[in-house]
Amino acid sequence: MCLAIPAQVVELRPDDNALVDLAGVKKEISLALVEGVVVGDYVIVHVGYALNKLDPEEAEKTLKLFAEMGQLPVDGDVTLH
């Protein structure tokens, strides 16, 4: 099953890439499909690509729901591909 999940941008990198944080798990993704992303923004990530920016309040609600469902790792691996 594939999910598009919100992640917070913590670092912009060369070549339209960024480092994102998802519940403590860091992953490099591509920002090639979204313009105007800055550090601190939330983006929807699917198969390693940011699909669009997300309102911070909406992102927090979604992440809270994932956590309640037990779908976010406490200290484990999340594969975003």
Side-chain angles (χ1 to χ4, degrees):
M1 179 169 90
C2 294
L3 296 173
I5 51 179
Q8 188 172 32
V9 175
V10 295
E11 181 182 322
L12 296 176
R13 294 189 169 173
D15 301 322
D16 287 331
N17 291 319
L19 186 67
V20 294
D21 181 348
L22 173 64
V25 176
K26 305 280 192 301
K27 176 75 177 172
E28 185 168 307
I29 65 163
S30 174
L31 297 175
L33 303 176
V34 182
E35 293 182 4
V37 176
V38 297
V39 171
D41 282 348
Y42 281 92
V43 292
I44 293 291
V45 178
H46 182 66
V47 293
Y49 287 86
L51 300 178
N52 63 335
K53 291 197 303 186
L54 186 64
D55 174 73
E57 187 175 307
E58 189 64 33
E60 292 293 336
K61 281 197 251 180
T62 302
L63 291 171
K64 184 178 176 184
L65 287 172
F66 275 107
E68 289 174 2
M69 293 185 310
Q71 297 299 310
L72 290 179
V74 175
D75 59 357
D77 178 45
V78 170
T79 303
L80 303 174
H81 52 128

